[in-house]
């Protein structure tokens, strides 16, 4: 019987966070100029992957559920998004269609939480403004 090769701890998210923290705290202070810039880009990429691992499954599931309700269809998320885009292109769905604007806004917020959580307009929206 083959044993599962995956370990319980640390999780991929924890490993990525540890690598990013090491680079940020131990290596970054030693660098300057273009090397420091490239390291900041690398750290940002690691942070992005960590947020994707943490947030994307739930946000994708919520997006798919909203689309299934809006479209009255059950399909994988990419197909649901293609169908929504096709309906919008044909004029069958607009911002006035019940639920569309709210879905698009929530999808945008969920994607910003992963891609740009420090974006000023996103932060203000979260704070109620």
């Amino acid at each position: 019987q083959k044993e599962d090769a995956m370990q319980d701890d640390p999780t991929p998210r924890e490993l990525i966070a540890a690598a990013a923290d090491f680079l940020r705290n131990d290596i970054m202070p030693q660098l300057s100029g273009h090397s420091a810039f490239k390291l900041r880009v690398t750290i940002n990429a690691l942070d992005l992957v960590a947020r994707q691992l943490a947030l994307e499954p739930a946000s994708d599931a919520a997006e798919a559920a909203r689309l299934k309700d809006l479209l009255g269809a059950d399909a994988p998320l990419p197909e649901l998004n293609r169908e929504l885009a096709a309906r919008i292109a044909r004029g069958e769905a607009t911002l006035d269609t019940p639920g569309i604007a709210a879905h698009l806004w929530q999808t945008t917020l969920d994607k910003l939480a992963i891609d740009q959580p420090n974006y000023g307009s996103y932060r203000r929206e979260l704070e109620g403004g």
Side-chain angles (χ1 to χ4, degrees):
Q1 179 178 0
K2 182 179 173 187
E3 289 186 2
D4 189 352
M6 292 293 295
Q7 299 293 317
D8 291 330
D9 290 313
T11 66
R13 194 169 119 212
E14 292 168 334
L15 290 170
I16 291 167
D21 286 344
F22 169 73
L23 294 172
R24 185 180 292 111
N25 299 320
D26 295 351
I27 304 300
M28 179 64 80
Q30 302 172 36
L31 299 177
S32 63
H34 191 64
S35 293
F37 170 76
K38 289 183 354 183
L39 184 58
R40 279 192 301 277
V41 170
T42 301
I43 292 167
N44 287 340
L46 290 170
D47 290 341
L48 174 61
V49 171
R51 288 190 305 272
Q52 285 176 324
L53 289 170
L55 302 174
E56 202 167 65
S59 69
D60 282 357
E63 180 182 359
R66 288 191 308 271
L67 284 168
K68 287 175 186 178
D69 287 344
L70 286 170
L71 302 173
D74 188 7
L77 182 56
E79 290 178 34
L80 292 168
N81 274 312
R82 280 191 292 277
E83 177 59 25
L84 177 60
R87 290 184 189 188
I88 291 170
R90 292 190 303 261
E92 297 170 8
T94 68
L95 289 177
D96 294 326
T97 303
I100 295 288
H103 164 72
L104 294 174
W105 187 246
Q106 187 60 54
T107 300
T108 299
L109 291 176
D110 290 348
K111 294 202 180 295
L112 283 171
I114 294 168
D115 295 337
Q116 295 293 325
N118 294 318
Y119 182 61
S121 295
Y122 170 73
R123 302 299 311 163
R124 282 189 297 279
E125 179 65 25
L126 291 182
E127 294 164 2

